[in-house]
Amino acid sequence: MRVLLTGSAGFVGGHVAEALGQEAPGHEVIAADLRTGVDVRDPAALDRILPGVDAVIHQAAKVGLGVDVADLPGYASANVYGTATLLAAMARHGVRRLVLASSMVVYGEGAYDCPRHDRVRPGPRRVEDLARGVFDPRCPHCDSVLSPSVIGEDAPPDPRNAYATTKLAQEHLAAGWARETSGTAVALRYHNVYGPRMPRDTPYAGVAAIFLSALRSGRAPAVFEDGGQRRDFVHVRDVARANVLALGAGTAGALRAYNIACGVPRTVGELAAALAARTGGPEPVTTGDYRLGDVRHIVASPARAAAELGFTAAIAFEDGLEELAAQFERNG
C-alpha cells in the first residue's frame, strides 16, 4: 500500500513513519510536512504527490489549546481549511482511505454520574467556582458533586476551546468526504500522548514534557488546579501502532471513531510526582491556577479499539515514564 503521511516530521507523525516501516514493511510511505515543503493547504503541492496513493494518514495540525479568540484564525486555517483542501485533493485523485488524527478534546468534559440523575454531561465549569478552588464539575440539574466515569465514542461532542473545535470540524469534514466518495474514514481520538521526542518549552508541549523541562532546570513542576484532574496517558509508540492497524479498518461511506488510550486513569499530580521521583528533582507544587479551556476529568473506554482494530496499549505507564525521563536526562 502506498501511504501519504502528513505531518511526518511531527512528534506523533515521526513515530507513525517508523511504525509503518517496522510493523508494515510492505507499505511505501510518502512523507509530507512543512519541513519537506508540503503544506496541505496548497492544492498544487497535493496534486504533485497524491497520484498513485492508496491511503492517507493525516497527522498535520496546529496543536495546543488555543487560549484566546485571536487564536481562532490560525487553528481554523491549519486544521479546518487544511483538512478540507486535503480531502478535496484526495477526491480528485481517487484516494478512498483516510486515517485522521483526532483527539479526546472533542468530548469536552468526560463522562460523569450523578447520585440523583445517573449519567449527565456537565457544562463548562464556572469561573467563580474555579476562582474559589472548586474544580470538580457539578450536576447541571441539582448541583451535586459528580463521579467521573469512562467515556465512549458515542458520547455527544462538546468542544471547549479553539483546538477542540477544529478537531471536531475535521471529523465532520472527513465524514462528509466519506459519504460523498464512498471512502473509508477512521478517526483516532488520541488521549494524552507522551514519549520520546516530545516537544518541550513550547505552547504545544504535553504536560509530561513541561514537567520534565522544569525538573531539568532544577525547578519544581507547577501543577494546575489541585492536581486531581484525571487523564489517560498513552505512549506514542502505541499511538503509532494504532495508526497502522487503522489502515485496514472502517466501512466505506462512513467515519468510525476510536479512543486511542490505555483505559487506566492517572491524575496530573501523580504524573508530576512520578517524574520528580525518577529524575531526583524537587517535589511538585500545586498552584491552584487554572485555564478556562481545560476540562477536569477525561478517561476513555478503549473497548471499541480493542474489538475492531485489535488495538490494546502495550507500554506500561511506569515503563514509559522511565524511558521519557532517561531521554530528557541524556538530551538535556
Side-chain angles (χ1 to χ4, degrees):
M1 182 182 292
R2 197 174 195 209
V3 181
L4 172 64
L5 172 61
T6 73
S8 57
F11 168 47
V12 176
H15 285 276
V16 173
E18 292 174 1
L20 285 166
Q22 294 165 4
E23 301 193 26
H27 292 321
E28 177 188 353
V29 180
I30 301 170
D33 193 278
L34 289 174
R35 299 179 199 179
T36 66
V38 177
D39 188 333
V40 295
R41 294 168 292 189
D42 181 356
L46 295 173
D47 285 340
R48 289 195 300 271
I49 60 177
L50 276 171
V53 165
D54 301 301
V56 173
I57 298 180
H58 184 32
Q59 300 288 326
K62 181 178 176 66
V63 298
L65 280 179
V67 295
D68 191 273
V69 174
D71 295 328
L72 289 172
Y75 280 92
S77 175
N79 298 350
V80 181
Y81 181 71
T83 299
T85 304
L86 173 64
L87 293 171
M90 290 170 64
R92 285 197 301 276
H93 293 280
V95 184
R96 296 292 183 264
R97 183 168 292 277
L98 171 71
V99 177
L100 171 68
S102 187
S103 172
M104 55 91 174
V105 296
V106 302
Y107 296 121
E109 284 286 353
Y112 291 85
D113 293 320
C114 172
R116 293 177 57 190
H117 297 97
D118 300 322
R119 181 59 52 88
V120 297
R121 294 297 302 278
R125 293 180 292 173
R126 297 177 294 212
V127 174
E128 55 270 29
D129 285 343
L130 294 170
R132 292 188 298 114
V134 178
F135 301 116
D136 284 307
R138 304 285 179 154
C139 177
H141 308 296
C142 67
D143 211 37
S144 296
V145 175
L146 299 175
S147 300
S149 185
V150 296
I151 196 162
E153 292 86 350
D154 292 330
D158 185 18
R160 300 288 176 88
N161 54 60
Y163 173 62
T165 301
T166 60
K167 295 309 286 184
L168 182 59
Q170 285 183 314
E171 289 195 15
H172 288 320
L173 288 168
W177 165 86
R179 286 192 299 270
E180 292 285 337
T181 65
S182 296
T184 299
V186 174
L188 302 181
R189 292 174 178 169
Y190 303 160
H191 286 251
N192 287 70
V193 185
Y194 74 99
R197 306 199 296 272
M198 287 186 75
R200 56 180 291 181
D201 295 327
T202 77
Y204 315 125
V207 66
I210 293 170
F211 290 160
L212 280 168
S213 187
L215 289 163
R216 190 72 180 87
S217 301
R219 294 179 286 110
V223 180
F224 278 20
E225 302 186 12
D226 60 359
Q229 51 272 53
R230 288 153 49 106
R231 297 291 188 269
D232 190 315
F233 295 96
V234 58
H235 196 277
V236 66
R237 286 199 297 275
D238 281 329
V239 171
R241 182 166 49 86
N243 276 269
V244 177
L245 293 170
L247 283 172
T251 302
L255 177 138
R256 187 71 163 164
Y258 297 93
N259 285 325
I260 302 303
C262 294
V264 180
R266 311 275 180 174
T267 70
V268 173
E270 287 173 342
L271 172 69
L275 289 172
R278 280 164 171 77
T279 58
E283 293 185 1
V285 174
T286 302
T287 67
D289 294 337
Y290 60 87
R291 297 182 298 184
L292 290 179
D294 282 340
V295 297
R296 179 61 173 172
H297 303 298
I298 178 76
V299 178
S301 168
R304 179 185 289 181
E308 298 183 12
L309 299 182
F311 170 79
T312 302
I315 299 174
F317 180 71
E318 294 77 12
D319 294 338
L321 290 193
E322 288 285 358
E323 178 189 25
L324 186 60
Q327 178 225 333
F328 270 69
E329 187 65 28
R330 285 194 306 271
N331 296 344

